[in-house]
Amino acid sequence: MQITEFQEELLSKAIDAGFQEAEVYYERSESFQCMIFEGEIDSYETSEEGGLGLRGLYNGKMGYAYTEKIDEDSIPFLIKSAKANADVLDEDDGSDIFGGSKDYPNHTFFSEELANIQITEKIELIKSIEKKVLAYDPRIVSLNYCVLQDFSGDRILANSKGLSLKEKKNGIVIFISAVVKDGEEMKTGSFIKLTRDFGSLEADKIAKEAAEEALSYLGEQSIPTRRYPIIMRHDAAASLLATFTPIFSAENTQKDQSLLKGKVGKKVASDIFTLLDDPFHPDAVAGSNFDGEGVATKTRSIVSNGTLETLLHNRKTAKIDGVETTGHAHKTSYKSTLTIAPLNMFIAPGEKSQDDLIASLDNGVLITNLAGLHSGTNTISGDFSVAATGFHIKDGKISSPVKQMTIAGNFFDLINDIEEIGSDLHFRPGGYGSPSLRVKELSVTVD
Amino acid sequence: MIKQSIIENVLEAALSNGGDFSEVFIEDKYVNRLELQSGKIEKSISGRDFGIGIRIFSGLQSIYTYTTDFSEEGLLRAAKRAAHAIKNGTNGTIHPLRKEMVLPIHQIGQMPKNVEHARKVAVMRKANEIARNYDERIRQVGLRYIDEEQHVLIANSEGKFVEDTRVHSRLSIQATASDGLEMQTGFYGPGAHAGFEFIENLNLEHYAGEAARIAITMLGADECPSGKFPVIIDNEFGGVIFHEACGHGLEATSVAKNNSVFANRIGEKVAPDIVTYIDDGTLPNEWGSLNIDDEGEKTRKNVLIENGILKGYLIDKFNARRMNAEATGSSRRESYRFNPTSRMTNTYIAPGTSTPEEIIASTENGLYAKYMGGGSVNPATGDYNFAVSEAYLVKNGKIDRPVRGATLIGNGAKTLQLVDKVGNNLAHGAGMCGSISGSLPVNVGQPMIRISEITVGGTKGE
């Protein structure tokens, strides 16, 4: 069955069945992934998938259902389930189906050039990366991950109010993790890049970066447990930002789950801290022209020089707060209900290089990687206590890698304690970015 | 779900360019998810996941493809696309399919599909009430209910043809306490490989009460000091520490390529005599249990470490080839979207002889982790980290006062050597485990144990 036909039939049958308004959200994607181990293809995966979600207003309440089996029989299943799900909700929460924005941006998230790269060329690239990493230094014993993945997909959002939006995207990811050994000491170092520009993936450069990252952790030393001034490298800073993103959601402030409640227009961070959401940033691969409800997206400043300018809203939370939606309704997939999330949020870069930041500390710690963020962080209180990897900085220079550490602090304090922001803005796959940050101090415990 | 003759054609098409094994995994899964927040049912979604995974082995190469296109042409196209990865082979052999019956170990009382939303909601409302009534400082209660009914059909070129139904039910409770200045949370999430009878029979007073009690306790807690201490980890979900610290390192995923500190060490002493570590997918109706794994093999009780000696690993069909070993009924995947690999089911430390009272009384100065949060591990190095959701200082053999913000870090293989007490109160707790074949329901379990020294990271400093 053709998807447009199916969509039309589902929408009209939903209206016939008593839904006042309805929306169909469809996604389809294809992917290729291969993993190399010791020069051979260890695993080779391809996929072709699709699924669709129905969202509809029934007796004033929003019912949801989805299916991955797109056939005639699914229509009654979707309608019956969405009705039952609307019925069980406690009250009309003010959501409805959106008729559409006046204008939509017209950015493209799809590269024809990438789509035309042959599988053999991709396999050659990832094989040559593995070879180059292994040849880089005798202390590199293996690669526990050496993976290339690409994907392409499209999505359609159509509703009974006549809105019909479409978007195509693709991208390619390289993920490498090298295992290094020196005597009894064993470490890993990883490299990840998501791009739409296949030409930017240079095997020599990637191999060198991954190898040096892993090797840099050999020769670890212990340092005293205490509070240290911190340089949070761009990638560690971006992952911490991603973890604490829920604090910026209006859904959370409205439910007393975020301490930013009532803080719009107020100072919440250091003067030099500016937080932007740019769905079209050229260095990021994430992004979109419309949000999960079909609202046109645009670049926004969330925090400007330390002042909270806006929370992230969808149409429902905006109505409650008496503001306009910021276009942050988020649908993880056709399987999910609407939530709120940024499209591509990042901390605006400053002037100084990472080396300049390091040079500014006499006795500090450079944090390069955080682990356990899903468990060691409390987005409600802002407290975090997580495992960290990094280096001791002495007299303005990196002196040695540090044994396993934990760093502890509070995110709300941390954004107030940012003293310097680097120029090295990097995006991680998934759409969060940060430059390296110098933070006044954090509590560091060393194994 | 799909005609046997079509499955046979797909298995054959998958081997049309060579390869020595092909497999089809068909999944049809119904899901219901409900959320209660601020006393109201705010979210409710139902859905049907449906797709087919096709796998081919050619020596030490594994090829996987999946599709949601269930037409015969769609399936054959997917099989050929996968077969394309193999070159210069001759046709593989297909054995006639023999239907195997699954002996259901996990009886399902009430299929969730036949239970009205209203009954599910009634349980959620009751849990909400219990948590809210626990203390006036409980400001928010969030409840998540989920049920899944997964039908699978697994067939392979060796003639296997088996179907099974798995039913999972879980209720997660999160309580948030606030005194106006700060907010703390408490969590409990019981789950089972069972139907709605599990949800309806839950002791809500206990689970919702505990979630609220943890939040309130942590509200008044001091910041945790940092340093190296003996750490007592309580039973049930406390077992998550060994799940991360050694369970992942015993999966063939890491062992087969020598990326684990436990690789090539069968028969060696890796832990003190008091440690026996088991993975058992047959425990009736437990959250991590299965009748058959995702390759169609019967699950079993796998002793991994016995009295401190490394006895075995968790092995799937593919890694079994590289390791020259037998598969252990441990191959799992989140859905048809994932190439299956060796994973844990219900993993636990077998009970010892110490009573919890003895263990605490014999600890002069340390940390008592009553409830653990989650954690993660780097399987290559064994370095792990954990959050403790409810912790206390222990002084002179007595529980002193609660502390918050404790994180445990260390190295799995080393920590395992430092277990010096194993209690007699084994219990299991439900969790979700994320790894390369997706996010899976697993149980972690243990009696109360003590580790003579762990690095504790706290917010207070030394």
Side-chain angles (χ1 to χ4, degrees), chain B residues 122-415:
Chain B
V123 175
M124 295 171 78
R125 290 201 201 284
K126 194 170 166 214
N128 175 55
E129 217 169 283
I130 293 165
R132 286 198 180 258
N133 290 341
Y134 183 86
D135 191 295
E136 58 181 16
R137 288 168 295 171
I138 298 291
R139 297 289 171 82
Q140 184 59 274
V141 176
L143 285 154
R144 280 163 190 260
Y145 165 92
I146 181 160
D147 65 54
E148 296 188 345
E149 182 183 321
Q150 183 202 36
H151 302 276
V152 297
L153 187 160
I154 301 155
N156 68 33
S157 58
E158 292 166 355
K160 182 173 280 297
F161 184 97
V162 62
E163 288 182 76
D164 192 22
T165 295
R166 293 95 175 247
V167 179
H168 285 98
S169 300
R170 191 178 197 198
L171 184 70
S172 308
I173 307 154
Q174 176 163 292
T176 305
S178 172
D179 56 7
L181 293 170
E182 51 161 314
M183 288 182 181
Q184 290 293 330
T185 58
F187 175 85
Y188 220 131
H193 184 141
F196 189 64
E197 71 282 2
F198 171 77
I199 300 293
E200 222 161 30
N201 295 332
L202 274 178
N203 181 349
L204 296 179
E205 295 286 344
H206 171 69
Y207 292 111
E210 280 294 271
R213 190 193 55 73
I214 296 167
I216 295 291
T217 307
M218 288 299 100
L219 201 55
D222 283 352
E223 290 185 272
C224 183
S226 310
K228 291 185 179 179
F229 311 112
V231 176
I232 298 166
I233 302 172
D234 216 336
N235 66 353
E236 200 185 277
F237 195 71
V240 69
I241 188 156
F242 289 102
H243 167 100
E244 301 290 358
C246 75
H248 280 295
L250 294 169
E251 291 170 340
T253 321
S254 322
V255 178
K257 294 181 189 165
N258 289 329
N259 286 328
S260 162
V261 284
F262 296 108
N264 303 315
R265 293 184 62 191
I266 294 284
E268 280 182 38
K269 192 92 167 34
V270 296
D273 292 347
I274 49 174
V275 175
T276 291
Y277 196 47
I278 294 164
D279 183 86
D280 187 352
T282 68
L283 298 175
N285 294 103
E286 289 292 345
W287 177 242
S289 293
L290 293 166
N291 294 313
I292 52 168
D293 74 359
D294 290 327
E295 288 172 347
E297 294 299 316
K298 283 191 184 71
T299 52
R300 58 193 215 192
K301 179 175 178 175
N302 289 302
V303 177
L304 305 172
I305 297 169
E306 191 172 26
N307 302 326
I309 310 279
L310 184 62
K311 288 284 178 179
Y313 304 115
L314 298 171
I315 308 170
D316 56 286
K317 254 184 169 11
F318 179 65
N319 282 307
R321 295 183 164 208
R322 204 182 282 281
M323 291 168 74
N324 215 351
E326 232 182 88
T328 59
S330 307
S331 188
R332 301 185 69 186
R333 51 181 131 198
E334 178 184 325
S335 71
Y336 65 87
R337 288 193 166 84
F338 294 85
N339 190 351
T341 190
S342 54
R343 300 287 294 271
M344 289 173 261
T345 59
N346 307 299
T347 314
Y348 61 95
I349 300 265
T353 53
S354 308
T355 65
E357 296 74 25
E358 277 164 27
I359 296 175
I360 292 166
S362 66
T363 307
E364 209 173 306
N365 204 349
L367 189 81
Y368 164 47
K370 184 168 166 63
Y371 282 108
M372 296 290 284
S376 64
V377 67
N378 177 335
T381 61
D383 287 347
Y384 66 76
N385 66 83
F386 286 93
V388 188
S389 7
E390 185 182 357
Y392 296 83
L393 295 180
V394 177
K395 279 197 175 148
N396 304 320
K398 288 198 177 72
I399 292 172
D400 187 48
R401 62 200 143 92
V403 286
R404 63 182 158 95
T407 302
L408 308 181
I409 54 167
N411 183 278
K414 288 179 193 151
T415 300

Side-chain angles (χ1 to χ4, degrees), chain A residues 44 49 66 85 90 385 447, chain B residues 41 44 49 64-65 337 407 455:
Chain A
Y44 178 106
E49 60 179 310
Y66 73 85
N85 287 322
D90 269 312
S385 176
D447 189 15
Chain B
I41 299 293
S44 178
D49 294 25
Y64 194 72
T65 188
R337 288 193 166 84
T407 302
T455 300

